[in-house]
Amino acid sequence: MNSTMNRAARLLTAPAIALTLVLPVLAVTATPAAAAADDYTFTNSDGTLNATGTGDGNQISVTPDGTNFKNWRLIKLNDPGTFNMASTSSGKCVYASQPATQQSCGKPGEEWHFRPVDGKPNTFGIARRDDSSGTEYCMDNRGGLHLWGILAQPNICNGSASQEWTVPASKAAEARQLGLDYYADLCSKKTSTCSWTEKSEGQPEVLPRQPASSVWFNDTSGTMKQVFTTIYHSGWAQSFSAGLSTSVGVSVPVQAMISSQLTATQTYTSDSTTVNGIAIDVPSKNYGWVDFAAVGKKVTGTWTFNTDNQPWTADATVTVPVINSTAGSTMYVAHTSATGPDTGTGTTDQDVKPAALAKTTTSTVDMPKGAHLTAYKGGVRAIDDTDGSPIATILPGTVKATDGTTHTFSVTVDGNKVTQTIDGVTGTTIDGTVTPPTFAVGAGEPAPVGVGASKPALAAKAALGMRSVAADDKDKDKDSRMACIGQKMATGIIGGFFGTIEAGGAGAMPGALGGLAVGIVTCK
């Protein structure tokens, strides 16, 4: 099989601990470790999937009494829904040979995904896909009895009982989630592998707004026009039944499948090249930013995934962005205000859902040669090593806790490592929302976001968002480069900000730093 998958991996659970004991050749004489609560086991009609030993090349078998090394942990890969299966006894991964064996993890041929079985909520195929032919291979019995049981190997999926593996009830939801991620991603790329049947449509409703740009402060004495680079939003979203959702977006081909079954509804359409900049006239001493405001219709239906005449289904609710509805239209909305979006008077603050935020987070920035980071006025400044001039300065946002208190960040810099600590937090996390960091390129000084008119001193010398360089910089090429770096940082903030809300971590500062590093290299 020539399936090529990104194998950059991270453990879904705690890493497996490799045994250092010298085990006998035949695993039946060894004593396996007891099952842990977060381990997977896989059982079909003939027994339990297990490794026959703890070394490279040990075969994978199906043992009726399950006395061998039967406990597994999953290592999630970057491609949606894909994973390696690592033995908890050896830390080695199942390789799709004939018969199946185990070897060191991170190699081609170790990528698997789950295929749910309709009507059997705890039962899944353990599958691999040949991208060139579209054929799927499922873990199966090889046939024939051996000393340690029946050998296992991947065969062409055929729906037989020996290809249906039951997992512990505690792992079924996670396994189905992984299966949905894999097949939803496949569907988004190859719509021939799926079909949609609509059941009902709701009425259009206004959805929570999402930040779509950095925040910029006009510290001049007159109105200034600022162009905001916006992050792309399709407005589409999808969730599946049983409380599951998928990280896979709703692709344009899938949008067309769903739209074709809608009643008289005009959907909002946009792509990443349609909206990439919005110009706003920002009054003196005011903030400017852009929101994505969606009006959506909830549509329920059933997806049927069918790759080789073995269909399985999943009920889903899809949010379809619409225009010209009784509730309004989906659009980007520009804002200006004397107070930033985090003060409660802006529109975005009330729309962002609180999340559990880690008290301390550390990120490593891949800074290019010729530049270094240093702590600066509670934030981070990048310095050009050639002349010591500042390239950019980033100040962290704030955390607004669910109890109404506001917390600042303390930032430390150690080489390329930047650590943020939320001030005034006694535990390891705090529930709340994070405002994006602010920044200036060149020698400009960022101003704290959300500073009210009653505190004008704190907003002095502000140069946020994509503002260029200090006023005495007359070099047009350098000015253009700085503006480019600012755009990269703004894009990084936006992407990191969404990571903050969804993942419960302080992601916007690392996003800005990542954009800075990219900008230094790519902006000329």
Side-chain angles (χ1 to χ4, degrees):
M1 289 173 279
N2 64 348
S3 174
T4 56
M5 301 184 180
N6 189 330
R7 296 182 299 279
R10 61 182 178 84
L11 286 175
L12 280 177
T13 58
I17 302 176
L19 295 181
T20 57
L21 300 176
V22 177
L23 297 173
V25 174
L26 296 181
V28 292
T29 64
T31 302
D38 57 352
D39 292 347
Y40 273 87
T41 58
F42 303 102
T43 303
N44 70 4
S45 55
D46 293 300
T48 300
L49 191 73
N50 62 93
T52 57
T54 59
D56 272 352
N58 282 131
Q59 294 173 329
I60 307 301
S61 70
V62 181
T63 307
D65 56 9
T67 56
N68 291 329
F69 302 96
K70 65 179 181 178
N71 299 322
W72 307 91
R73 288 177 180 164
L74 305 186
I75 302 175
K76 187 177 179 182
L77 305 177
N78 277 359
D79 288 336
T82 60
F83 53 83
N84 295 156
M85 293 192 301
S87 169
T88 61
S89 299
S90 66
K92 298 186 182 300
C93 288
V94 177
Y95 173 61
S97 53
Q98 302 275 355
T101 56
Q102 68 178 12
Q103 62 181 15
S104 298
C105 299
K107 299 178 180 179
E110 297 173 351
E111 307 91 346
W112 302 90
H113 63 267
F114 286 128
R115 177 212 289 256
V117 178
D118 259 358
K120 300 179 181 180
N122 294 358
T123 304
F124 303 84
I126 305 172
R128 288 175 48 80
R129 181 180 177 85
D130 184 340
D131 287 337
S132 62
S133 65
T135 302
E136 292 201 339
Y137 294 81
C138 289
M139 186 63 77
D140 197 354
N141 297 341
R142 179 183 176 92
L145 291 176
H146 296 264
L147 181 60
W148 45 78
I150 304 171
L151 293 181
Q153 70 179 31
N155 293 325
I156 293 177
C157 298
N158 57 27
S160 62
S162 58
Q163 294 183 355
E164 295 182 353
W165 300 91
T166 300
V167 305
S170 62
K171 309 301 290 186
E174 179 181 73
R176 187 168 180 83
Q177 177 71 76
L178 288 168
L180 283 170
D181 279 349
Y182 180 84
Y183 285 99
D185 180 63
L186 182 63
C187 172
S188 71
K189 300 170 182 174
K190 301 180 183 294
T191 54
S192 61
T193 65
C194 58
S195 60
W196 168 257
T197 303
E198 181 181 312
K199 292 182 178 179
S200 65
E201 296 179 24
Q203 295 299 314
E205 58 181 308
V206 177
L207 303 177
R209 293 188 178 185
Q210 302 178 58
S213 77
S214 60
V215 181
W216 187 81
F217 183 75
N218 179 9
D219 195 38
T220 70
S221 59
T223 297
M224 292 188 66
K225 185 179 292 293
Q226 176 65 30
V227 178
F228 289 82
T229 298
T230 55
I231 189 170
Y232 166 64
H233 292 280
S234 72
W236 290 75
Q238 181 168 214
S239 62
F240 290 91
S241 58
L244 299 178
S245 60
T246 178
S247 59
V248 178
V250 187
S251 68
V252 172
V254 171
Q255 293 175 23
M257 292 173 65
I258 297 171
S259 296
S260 66
Q261 297 182 35
L262 293 171
T263 58
T265 298
Q266 189 172 2
T267 61
Y268 170 82
T269 58
S270 176
D271 60 43
S272 57
T273 62
T274 302
V275 180
N276 55 22
I278 296 177
I280 305 175
D281 289 324
V282 183
S284 173
K285 310 302 180 184
N286 269 237
Y287 294 88
W289 70 95
V290 178
D291 283 343
F292 180 72
V295 175
K297 174 185 285 190
K298 304 289 186 181
V299 180
T300 64
T302 299
W303 283 109
T304 300
F305 301 99
N306 188 2
T307 52
D308 45 21
N309 298 316
Q310 297 169 62
W312 61 278
T313 60
D315 291 333
T317 299
V318 180
T319 301
V320 179
V322 299
I323 60 176
N324 298 332
S325 74
T326 55
S329 296
T330 297
M331 66 185 71
Y332 286 86
V333 179
H335 294 279
T336 61
S337 173
T339 53
D342 67 316
T343 62
T345 57
T347 59
T348 58
D349 179 70
Q350 298 175 351
D351 293 332
V352 176
K353 295 181 179 179
L357 307 172
K359 176 182 177 181
T360 301
T361 56
T362 299
S363 56
T364 301
V365 186
D366 188 16
M367 288 295 292
K369 292 182 179 180
H372 70 276
L373 300 176
T374 184
Y376 180 82
K377 293 186 177 181
V380 181
R381 172 165 275 188
I383 301 296
D384 189 331
D385 292 340
T386 59
D387 58 9
S389 62
I391 301 172
T393 306
I394 307 170
L395 296 183
T398 58
V399 172
K400 188 171 184 180
T402 53
D403 63 4
T405 59
T406 298
H407 299 258
T408 57
F409 282 97
S410 293
V411 177
T412 60
V413 179
D414 181 11
N416 284 358
K417 291 185 177 181
V418 178
T419 299
Q420 295 182 97
T421 301
I422 305 175
D423 298 327
V425 177
T426 56
T428 58
T429 63
I430 183 173
D431 291 338
T433 57
V434 180
T435 63
T438 61
F439 69 90
V441 290
E445 295 279 348
V449 174
V451 175
S454 60
K455 301 178 181 179
L458 294 179
K461 300 181 181 179
L464 306 183
M466 295 171 292
R467 192 155 177 186
S468 183
V469 294
D472 58 356
D473 187 354
K474 304 300 183 182
D475 187 333
K476 292 184 178 180
D477 289 338
K478 185 176 181 180
D479 186 80
S480 176
R481 180 172 185 258
M482 289 299 183
C484 174
I485 291 174
Q487 291 177 342
K488 300 295 185 184
M489 293 171 68
T491 301
I493 286 176
I494 296 163
F497 184 61
F498 289 128
T500 298
I501 298 305
E502 295 171 1
M509 174 71 87
L513 292 167
L516 168 63
V518 171
I520 292 174
V521 174
T522 61
C523 296
K524 305 300 181 181

